[in-house]
Amino acid sequence: MKRLTLVCLSLIATVACAQKVPALYQDADLKLGAKLIENNQCDACHIRNVGGNGHSIYRPAGRVNSLSLLRGQVEACNTTLNLALFPDEVTSIAAVLNQDHYHFE
Ligand code: HEC
């Protein structure tokens, strides 16, 4: 019983944290961002580079070490890959990557 309570509490904490969007990304649409990541083959190409599920390409302790650099990196990919994403779409993608991988504040 006690253990179940603990599990529930940590679940609630996870959900609450997951929904936190930093001020810089306040216009982000997380659902849209996730969809864009899927539609633009982000993972497919990263998998070719690093294997696994491609997620190890995201290195929070590396060169990309702040919210604005993260958004800048996504913008750079947008330009290099000719994805023609709108600014709010770039922000939404960055917000999803931050929520799932970087956890910058
Ligand atoms: C054609 C291949 C390719 C595609 C498609 C691609 N990427 Fe990348 N991406 C790379 C490579 C290669 C690197 C590593 C570059 C480096 O380390 O200098 C990278 C690195 C990154 C990084 C930096 C990781 C870090 O922490 O240093 C981010 C963020 C990123 N990509 C986001 C995206 C997003 C978002 C998309 C889809 C919109 C995308 N990429 C699509 C090849 C790709």
Side-chain angles (χ1 to χ4, degrees):
M1 185 62 191
K2 217 173 185 179
R3 201 159 146 202
L4 189 65
T5 314
L6 269 181
V7 171
C8 290
L9 279 178
S10 62
L11 262 180
I12 292 166
T14 310
V15 171
C17 294
Q19 287 173 341
K20 207 174 86 184
V21 173
L24 188 62
Y25 291 171
Q26 63 186 342
D27 295 335
D29 178 340
L30 295 176
K31 260 198 199 127
L32 174 70
K35 203 171 188 177
L36 289 167
I37 289 171
E38 206 179 301
N39 293 350
N40 288 293
Q41 306 288 309
C42 309
D43 285 338
C45 182
H46 294 158
I47 287 168
R48 283 199 294 278
N49 280 277
V50 296
N53 58 7
H55 292 175
S56 65
I57 203 147
Y58 303 128
R59 293 158 300 166
R63 186 172 46 90
V64 176
N65 61 5
S66 72
L67 284 174
S68 56
L69 285 177
L70 176 56
R71 196 192 173 285
Q73 173 69 45
V74 176
E75 183 64 63
C77 284
N78 176 33
T79 310
T80 312
L81 302 170
N82 259 321
L83 300 179
L85 298 168
F86 290 109
D88 63 314
E89 295 179 320
V90 170
T91 302
S92 297
I93 291 175
V96 171
L97 294 180
N98 189 54
Q99 174 192 266
D100 293 350
H101 305 288
Y102 291 88
H103 312 295
F104 299 137
E105 288 182 5

